[in-house]
Amino acid sequence: EVGEPFKEEKAVAKYLRFNCPTKSTNMMGHRVDYFIASKAVDCLLDSKWAKAKKGEEALFTTRESVVDYCNRLLKKQFFHRALKVMKMKPDKDTKKEKEKGKAESGKEEEKKSKKDSGKDEKTKKEKEKEKKKDGEKDECKKDDTPGTPKKKETKRKFKLEPHEDQVFLDGNEVYVWIYDPVHFKTFAMGLVLVIAVIAATMFPLWPAEMRVGVYYLSVGAGCFVASILLLAVARCILFLIIWLITGGRHHFWFLPNLTADVGFIDSFKPLYTHEYKGPKADLKKEEKSESKKQQKYDSEEKSDSEKKEEEDGKTEATRNSGTDGSGGERHSDTDSDRREDDRSQHSSGNGNDFEMITKEELEQQTDEGDCEEEEEEDTESGPSHGKS
């Protein structure tokens, strides 16, 4: 025999009922709300009962203490444990299966007779299968790109059934709520509704000033609703007039969100919208599509060029590693070899075997040659005078 719940247990159950995340489903033909055990434990560990007060210990200190308390609530029939049962697809009729079996047996006999003459066909089919596989791989790659929309994941349906072992366990176990208290908001809304209905029925007993004020308010509300309806009709007429005059090229909407499923303020934003749907618009769309294709092509080319640059970098690195071994021999070259290399580079830079010289350098060289000849003549005349 289980006694009645205490006030503390009711408060904890009420907090858990309104703060723990729940989902709704059908169970035994009834609509029920269920929750997961691990989330309920986390919810109670974040509650006020998990914090110690002055002179008192906290009610929930560990997950085990929460599990023990929830077992008490389960015994007091605040909720009960349920079992998830996945819904299986309905089996096909036995008659259809028998017919299929007969058809398959007939096909097998035909295949045996066609095996000898159908070898070439098999090779063709294998090639076609390989092509299909390659196409599927390409499609998978396209689907992996960030711009492509992903397919919706199909969720497996399940139903709930009562569990034989009624114990609270911390994990992914499912528990169905039995305790369904009335929330304070729903109670307040119901009370206000009842008072409004009673006041409306007693309208003839109201004071004259209040009745006049309510009359003007009702007239103003009616005019507002009528003005919105007239606006909705007028904007459609304006759209049709502009569409007929321009031959369907200009689409002009005044207050386009007036009848849309948006808020009151958003229904008056924007003030108008205009679209041009002529030949130039089609050309612009084609240009945009071509530009997108070119961007994709350029990005693919860039990726190929980057790969080539990486390969070239690797080859240069291997060459540099090979040339490092011959660095000692290069350091052993003489100054004359280096000069010859410099001269050869200078001559090969112009594509000729001689150096290019300006007019000023030629004049300087000729002046230097004349000076050297005069010095030689002086030297020759000097010893002749001595001999004489």
Side-chain angles (χ1 to χ4, degrees):
E1 294 181 359
V2 180
E4 293 183 358
F6 300 106
K7 290 182 179 180
E8 187 182 31
E9 291 174 349
K10 284 184 178 179
V12 172
K14 195 172 184 179
Y15 176 83
L16 193 64
R17 181 70 177 86
F18 294 127
N19 292 290
C20 181
T22 58
K23 294 180 181 179
S24 60
T25 185
N26 291 322
M27 180 178 177
M28 308 291 288
H30 298 283
R31 196 72 178 171
V32 295
D33 294 332
Y34 68 93
F35 66 94
I36 297 168
S38 59
K39 292 182 179 180
V41 174
D42 295 335
C43 181
L44 289 177
L45 285 173
D46 293 334
S47 65
K48 63 181 181 180
W49 292 281
K51 297 174 183 178
K53 296 179 181 179
K54 292 180 180 180
E56 295 181 1
E57 293 182 357
L59 184 62
F60 304 125
T61 55
T62 59
R63 298 184 75 87
E64 293 176 356
S65 63
V66 176
V67 171
D68 293 335
Y69 198 89
C70 288
N71 273 311
R72 287 168 56 186
L73 296 177
L74 188 141
K75 289 178 182 178
K76 298 273 179 89
Q77 295 182 355
F78 285 98
F79 48 81
H80 65 87
R81 189 180 179 188
L83 180 66
K84 275 186 178 182
V85 179
M86 295 296 174
K87 290 183 179 180
M88 302 297 290
K89 292 182 179 180
D91 296 330
K92 295 180 180 179
D93 296 333
T94 56
K95 292 181 180 179
K96 290 182 180 179
E97 289 180 356
K98 289 180 181 179
E99 290 176 358
K100 284 185 178 179
K102 291 179 181 179
E104 287 176 356
S105 62
K107 287 180 181 179
E108 286 177 358
E109 291 178 357
E110 291 178 357
K111 286 180 181 178
K112 287 179 182 179
S113 62
K114 290 180 180 179
K115 275 184 180 179
D116 298 330
S117 62
K119 290 181 180 179
D120 297 332
E121 293 179 357
K122 287 182 180 179
T123 55
K124 290 179 181 179
K125 288 180 180 178
E126 288 176 356
K127 289 180 180 179
E128 289 178 356
K129 286 180 180 179
E130 290 177 355
K131 289 180 180 179
K132 287 180 180 179
K133 287 180 180 179
D134 295 332
E136 289 176 356
K137 288 179 181 179
D138 295 333
E139 288 178 356
C140 292
K141 290 180 180 178
K142 289 179 181 178
D143 292 335
D144 292 334
T145 54
T148 55
K150 293 183 179 179
K151 294 181 180 179
K152 293 182 179 179
E153 295 181 356
T154 56
K155 294 182 179 180
R156 295 182 67 185
K157 294 181 179 181
F158 64 90
K159 60 181 180 179
L160 295 179
E161 291 181 358
H163 203 284
E164 294 179 356
D165 190 10
Q166 291 295 320
V167 181
F168 190 87
L169 300 173
D170 187 7
N172 292 325
E173 298 294 328
V174 177
Y175 293 87
V176 177
W177 279 108
I178 300 171
Y179 180 60
D180 191 13
V182 179
H183 201 274
F184 177 74
K185 289 182 179 179
T186 56
F187 178 77
M189 293 292 289
L191 185 62
V192 170
L193 184 63
V194 170
I195 292 168
V197 170
I198 293 169
T201 55
M202 296 178 69
F203 181 74
L205 299 177
W206 288 12
E209 294 177 354
M210 290 179 67
R211 282 184 286 174
V212 171
V214 170
Y215 171 75
Y216 284 121
L217 285 173
S218 61
V219 170
C223 292
F224 179 74
V225 173
S227 63
I228 289 174
L229 293 173
L230 289 172
L231 266 175
V233 175
R235 62 192 283 275
C236 293
I237 294 168
L238 181 64
F239 174 80
L240 283 172
I241 291 168
I242 295 170
W243 186 78
L244 290 171
I245 291 169
T246 58
R249 293 181 180 179
H250 293 274
H251 290 204
F252 180 83
W253 281 105
F254 179 72
L255 296 175
N257 294 326
L258 186 64
T259 57
D261 188 10
V262 293
F264 178 76
I265 296 170
D266 293 331
S267 61
F268 296 97
K269 293 180 182 180
L271 186 63
Y272 67 91
T273 57
H274 176 257
E275 291 182 6
Y276 178 73
K277 295 184 178 181
K280 291 182 179 179
D282 296 332
L283 291 171
K284 287 180 180 179
K285 288 180 181 178
E286 291 177 357
E287 288 176 357
K288 287 181 180 179
S289 61
E290 288 177 357
S291 63
K292 287 180 181 178
K293 289 180 181 179
Q294 286 179 357
Q295 287 176 359
K296 289 181 182 178
Y297 183 71
D298 294 336
S299 62
E300 291 175 356
E301 286 184 348
K302 285 181 181 178
S303 61
D304 296 333
S305 62
E306 286 176 356
K307 289 180 181 178
K308 289 180 181 179
E309 288 178 357
E310 289 178 356
E311 292 176 357
D312 294 336
K314 289 179 181 178
T315 54
E316 288 177 359
T318 53
R319 288 176 183 174
N320 292 327
S321 62
T323 55
D324 289 337
S326 62
E329 295 178 358
R330 288 184 180 178
H331 286 296
S332 63
D333 293 337
T334 59
D335 295 335
S336 62
D337 294 332
R338 290 178 182 174
R339 289 172 184 173
E340 289 177 357
D341 291 334
D342 294 334
R343 289 174 184 173
S344 64
Q345 288 176 0
H346 185 73
S347 61
S348 63
N350 293 321
N352 298 319
D353 294 331
F354 56 88
E355 295 180 359
M356 298 296 291
I357 300 170
T358 59
K359 291 181 179 181
E360 295 177 357
E361 290 177 353
L362 284 170
E363 290 175 359
Q364 289 177 0
Q365 288 179 1
T366 51
D367 293 335
E368 288 175 0
D370 295 333
C371 293
E372 287 176 357
E373 288 177 357
E374 289 175 0
E375 286 176 359
E376 287 176 358
E377 287 176 359
D378 293 334
T379 52
E380 287 176 359
S381 62
S384 62
H385 288 294
K387 287 179 183 179
S388 61

